[in-house]
Amino acid sequence: MYHVAYTCATLNSTAFREQATYHAILAAVSSSPACTIRTSLVYRSLLPAFYVGTSRSFHTTPRNDALPFLPVLAGILKTSSAMEVARTVVRVTFTLIPFILIKNHKLRRGLAIAEASGYGDSDRKSFMLRKIRYGTILFHLLLFTPVVLFWLTILASVERTPLTGRWRLILLSPEEEEEISLQLAGPGWYKAVGDILAKDGSRNIVAPTDWRVQWVRDTLQRLEGAIPSLQHEQDLGSRWLECGPDDIPFPPPADHPLRPRPRASEYIRRLAEVSCSRTPHRSPHVIPGPPYSLIVVDKPESSNAFSYGFGPDGGGGVVVFSGFLNDVLSKGGASQTDEMDFSQTMSPAQSEPTSWWSAIFGGIFPLSAAVSAAPPHPIPTEAQTSELAILLAHELAHLILSHHLETLSSTSVVWPGVVSIVTDVVRAILFPVTMMFGPFLNDAVASVGKTASWDLQEMAEFCTSQSQEIEADVVSARLLAHAGFDPRHALQFWEQRGDTEETAECTPTTAKTNASGVQMRWSGSAHPLNEVRVAKLREEFERWEKERAKARERLNLS
């Protein structure tokens, strides 16, 4: 310590000269055999304040130096394999616990017999008591280790949903999220959606040169241009306060603005900055997603749309069925909507694949048939474009909030892992009973666990989907306002759309599966989903007005 402090002090010539004097005094004090004063105390009392401060800052560890290990620990626990590790620990625990209990029972029984008979020395009894105590400690350690590991995994994966602040659980590491986005980037999204549509039997894709695709794409790009505003609502000033009763309502700044999801490189960079005692800053990369991919499916009987995917470079996108476009255009206001078939609006020259998208996926998605002479297409009105924007904004909200990752984590990692752990615990508790009746009863318990796992997974998916649909409506209202659309039109739009197979926001096959309403009865909900969504959306608009009134009142008082 003295040599290190000496090196630090040589940076100052005065401190260097003083140090020689202090070492000389220290040597004199320590050489006296009658001296009872501790050398270290004398040394510290003789050092000047500058020298003590320099030595302390060099040798002591700041209290926050251990903080960089917290992100590392959280990164280790925030992964899909952490749930499998917890399950393995549970199995090992319940394998060893019976042996510990049996051994402690034998030791207690032997100790009771020895005390009752009066035989046995005190050393033997002390040894047995010590063994029982160690066994009890090991029992509690094995019992609480999987519990602590499970809840640490859950806490490491809990996060706030942007814009709404809802707590959610995404048990996927940044590396796993990046792997998903890389698989869906570019042509990967079209292949994944092609597999989904192939299972549903919807393989007729409207050509990218069709005017309906151009209409949908223009509206989608208008909404995409408003996404950056969700990141900087605090910087928009008092625009939301200046809205009058006849103006388009503007949302107040969100308490949880839209932020990019952290990547693996982000965690490494922040760890390095904290380790070097620097203030960590967010990386400048933008929200992964825009421009989003788009497919229009030629299926007149389906009046819906759905979103799928996650990540940049087209890793997320929207699928719109032509039945919805036909319904919007048939409401009137556009020219020639009654005299023409909306599915046949391309000329022979337009029907040939001319883009890279058509060249790659022309064999996967056969384009809808073209007619020999294409009639002039109707020109959508602003009201019709607004209806299209409401549905597209809802689907974009799912992509902006990374609902695909949440659903994937909930249905593929969290709930299967939880049910598996509970099943293993129940089987371990019932093992003494099932052992007496042979392996068939044990297999029956395992079969019941698998069935319950499937039912609970469907239940969790339904509940997650309900909360996500309501959340997407709320966020889509913000997106519509920033894009220049009137978000109040969404109330009438969703009131007119019922919960039917034709209007469900998923593939028609999935809509038929969910049409039975078993999950809704299990969840105890007696109201249709569209009624709940309209009520929540109306509450959101009322909250906007209340926030605006409070802000104006504070402004007037100031």
Side-chain angles (χ1 to χ4, degrees), residues 78 157 159 168-172 177 261 405-406 409:
K78 183 179 167 55
S157 305
E159 63 181 43
R168 64 178 178 180
L169 184 66
I170 297 183
L171 193 53
L172 295 172
E177 294 182 8
R261 291 196 61 78
L405 291 180
E406 183 181 358
S409 172

Side-chain angles (χ1 to χ4, degrees), residues 448-467:
V448 171
K450 291 181 180 179
T451 304
S453 175
W454 178 258
D455 293 339
L456 287 176
Q457 182 175 344
E458 289 186 347
M459 179 68 180
E461 185 175 358
F462 175 77
C463 295
T464 303
S465 176
Q466 270 197 326
S467 61

Side-chain angles (χ1 to χ4, degrees), residues 476-497:
S476 65
R478 287 180 171 272
L479 188 59
L480 288 170
H482 285 291
F485 295 98
D486 193 342
R488 293 172 296 186
H489 294 167
L491 288 173
Q492 182 181 1
F493 176 83
W494 293 116
E495 285 176 349
Q496 295 176 352
R497 289 178 65 86

Side-chain angles (χ1 to χ4, degrees), residues 434-451:
T434 58
M435 182 177 59
M436 295 169 39
F437 295 95
F440 299 103
L441 183 58
N442 197 17
D443 294 341
V445 173
S447 178
V448 171
K450 291 181 180 179
T451 304

Side-chain angles (χ1 to χ4, degrees), residues 66-77 267 270-271 274:
L67 292 179
F69 295 99
L70 295 180
V72 176
L73 180 60
I76 294 174
L77 295 175
Y267 276 115
R270 293 181 63 183
L271 175 61
V274 175

Side-chain angles (χ1 to χ4, degrees), residues 33-298:
C35 183
T36 58
I37 303 177
R38 294 180 56 88
T39 305
S40 60
L41 295 178
V42 175
Y43 183 72
R44 290 184 57 86
S45 64
L46 294 175
L47 288 178
F50 170 77
Y51 186 86
V52 174
T54 305
S55 177
R56 179 179 301 170
S57 63
F58 187 87
H59 290 281
T60 58
T61 302
R63 295 181 179 180
N64 61 351
D65 278 3
L67 292 179
F69 295 99
L70 295 180
V72 176
L73 180 60
I76 294 174
L77 295 175
K78 183 179 167 55
T79 175
S80 59
S81 59
M83 187 64 69
E84 188 64 27
V85 172
R87 179 186 177 186
T88 303
V89 172
V90 168
R91 290 188 170 187
V92 173
T93 296
F94 281 91
T95 301
L96 298 178
I97 280 180
F99 295 99
I100 298 175
L101 294 177
I102 292 173
K103 186 175 181 180
N104 278 5
H105 177 71
K106 290 182 177 180
L107 289 173
R108 287 192 178 93
R109 185 176 180 182
L111 184 61
I113 293 174
E115 290 179 351
S117 59
Y119 295 100
D121 53 1
S122 58
D123 294 339
R124 178 65 177 175
K125 292 181 181 179
S126 300
F127 174 76
M128 296 177 67
L129 289 174
R130 190 164 54 252
K131 294 281 287 185
I132 293 174
R133 185 170 62 254
Y134 291 159
T136 304
I137 294 174
L138 182 59
F139 169 77
H140 288 95
L141 184 63
L142 289 175
L143 189 63
F144 286 104
T145 296
V147 176
V148 173
L149 179 61
F150 173 79
W151 284 110
L152 286 178
T153 302
I154 296 298
L155 291 176
S157 305
V158 170
E159 63 181 43
R160 285 273 197 176
T161 307
L163 302 175
T164 62
R166 175 178 62 90
W167 290 101
R168 64 178 178 180
L169 184 66
I170 297 183
L171 193 53
L172 295 172
S173 65
E175 293 82 0
E176 293 170 333
E177 294 182 8
E178 286 188 3
E179 183 178 357
I180 294 173
S181 64
L182 290 176
Q183 292 176 355
L184 295 175
W189 184 86
Y190 292 96
K191 293 180 181 179
V193 173
D195 295 338
I196 296 174
L197 296 176
K199 295 178 182 179
D200 189 60
S202 305
R203 297 183 61 89
N204 294 326
I205 307 301
V206 180
T209 53
D210 191 285
W211 72 271
R212 293 170 297 173
V213 180
Q214 298 296 333
W215 177 39
V216 176
R217 186 172 296 281
D218 292 342
T219 308
L220 183 65
Q221 291 177 352
R222 180 177 172 182
L223 293 170
E224 289 176 354
I227 292 178
S229 300
L230 300 177
Q231 299 179 255
H232 311 287
E233 287 185 323
Q234 299 287 350
D235 301 333
L236 297 179
S238 59
R239 177 182 175 186
W240 66 285
L241 293 175
E242 301 170 356
C243 298
D246 299 330
D247 298 333
I248 296 178
F250 208 74
D255 295 332
H256 305 276
L258 184 62
R259 291 286 183 262
R261 291 196 61 78
R263 300 180 179 179
S265 57
E266 172 81 359
Y267 276 115
I268 296 175
R269 184 183 62 83
R270 293 181 63 183
L271 175 61
E273 289 181 349
V274 175
S275 301
C276 298
S277 300
R278 299 176 183 174
T279 303
H281 300 283
R282 295 185 179 273
S283 61
H285 67 270
V286 296
I287 301 295
Y292 292 101
S293 301
L294 174 66
I295 286 180
V296 178
V297 182
D298 189 9

